[in-house]
Amino acid sequence: MKALITVASKHGATLELGRAMAEVLEERGLAVDLSPPEKVKSLGGYDLIILGSGVYANKMLPTMTALCYRWGDQLSARPVYLFCSGPLDAAPGQTALVPYEARDLARQVGAHSVKLFGGRMELSELRPAERALMRMSGAKAGDYRDWDEVLRWAGEVADHAQAHLHA
């Protein structure tokens, strides 16, 4: 079984999630291609697609939304899973909501699962305007990704996709 993980990542944190997911899928016997959305030229040959995007100001990155619109019909014909990363300010016990845009795209492509992971933001990676936006929003720099949850979800995706394809 062959999987495509395509990740739109502005500063690299979401791409790191995609790499970790690729390792999990490969450990479970899947062949994995990892690519940014703008480099995806075909979905042919893929049995499973994982779409990932960083979220900024409650929006997915434009390269991911463009990929979903460009390949929507082909995506809806395959097992698709979608994840986003980005919340930097969820208080303990508070659940951040998957952005509306991600839920809408997931519905359009028939995604089996939609997952939101915390993000990572380092001030040294930001342009001055981005730093100002972070200060105004009250978001705190740091790494809010739950790696155990990322690996658990990737394993669930692999199991679900293999069961779906062998049903």
Side-chain angles (χ1 to χ4, degrees), residues 8-48:
S9 185
K10 190 171 183 178
H11 296 289
T14 309
L15 179 58
E16 290 173 352
L17 297 176
R19 285 183 183 132
M21 291 175 192
E23 288 179 18
V24 170
L25 270 60
E26 288 170 343
E27 288 170 2
R28 292 180 184 236
L30 283 77
V32 179
D33 288 336
L34 179 63
S35 177
E38 61 274 17
K39 296 215 174 165
V40 174
K41 303 299 181 212
S42 170
L43 300 180
Y46 293 111
D47 303 299
L48 158 69

Side-chain angles (χ1 to χ4, degrees), residues 76-134:
S76 63
R78 292 171 169 76
V80 173
Y81 304 83
L82 179 104
F83 75 92
C84 297
S85 72
L88 300 175
D89 57 354
Q94 178 186 17
T95 303
L97 298 176
V98 174
Y100 171 79
E101 181 181 43
R103 292 190 315 262
D104 188 48
L105 283 174
R107 182 187 51 74
Q108 289 177 30
V109 301
H112 291 278
S113 176
V114 182
K115 186 71 174 174
L116 179 65
F117 299 108
R120 175 188 57 82
M121 185 61 62
E122 299 301 328
L123 291 176
S124 63
E125 298 174 341
L126 303 179
R127 295 183 304 239
E130 291 173 318
R131 280 191 210 114
L133 184 61
M134 276 194 64

